[in-house]
Amino acid sequence: MTAETLPGVRDALPTDVAAMVALGGRVPGAEPVEARRARLGALVSDPGAVVLVATDEEVVQGFLAAAVGDPAPVHGGAGPVGYVDDLAVGEGFDWWRVGGALIARARERLKGAGAVRMIVTTGGGDPVKQAFLWRSGLTLVTESYEQPLP
């Protein structure tokens, strides 16, 4: 991979939200469109959040949304954690090129915001994304299942 093939990565703008909503809708089990639009719009406007888009010729090819917070008990450890709660790319074959550029920039930004670790949450069901995360040096920490109790 050469530098010329990597997409540009920049902070997301309010005008990127529609493209981010569309990309996030491709994720298995994605939340309803209006809820996704409201959540991503709020994150883009939040100065404490790290919301990035990867672009080719200003066309959004992927995005990442993260925030720094205290470690959840299940994750333990000392120091703030960079939680990546949303990560999507346009095409599955683009995880290395687009996803890799987003993860690399997120590492820099989250570390700069005081995080000592990065945790990427996934809903499962996307083996290509899971393989990308594993091959990018992330380790599977936990898998959870839930059921409402009436």
Side-chain angles (χ1 to χ4, degrees), residues 97-124:
R97 192 176 75 81
V98 176
L102 287 164
I103 287 287
R105 180 67 58 84
R107 283 182 178 125
E108 295 169 8
R109 294 285 303 280
L110 293 169
K111 186 175 180 178
V116 296
R117 288 183 298 149
M118 178 173 66
I119 295 175
V120 179
T121 58
T122 66

Side-chain angles (χ1 to χ4, degrees), residues 42-139:
L43 285 170
V44 167
S45 300
D46 181 351
V50 174
V51 185
L52 306 169
V53 292
T55 63
D56 281 326
E57 298 179 11
E58 285 306 308
V59 175
V60 175
Q61 302 295 319
F63 75 94
L64 178 148
V68 176
D70 293 328
V74 70
H75 299 300
V81 174
Y83 289 100
V84 178
D85 290 324
D86 221 336
L87 174 61
V89 299
E91 301 294 336
F93 60 81
D94 253 352
W95 276 112
W96 282 111
R97 192 176 75 81
V98 176
L102 287 164
I103 287 287
R105 180 67 58 84
R107 283 182 178 125
E108 295 169 8
R109 294 285 303 280
L110 293 169
K111 186 175 180 178
V116 296
R117 288 183 298 149
M118 178 173 66
I119 295 175
V120 179
T121 58
T122 66
D126 188 343
V128 177
K129 180 178 182 178
Q130 292 168 314
F132 159 74
L133 292 170
W134 178 74
R135 291 184 65 194
S136 294
L138 287 97
T139 303

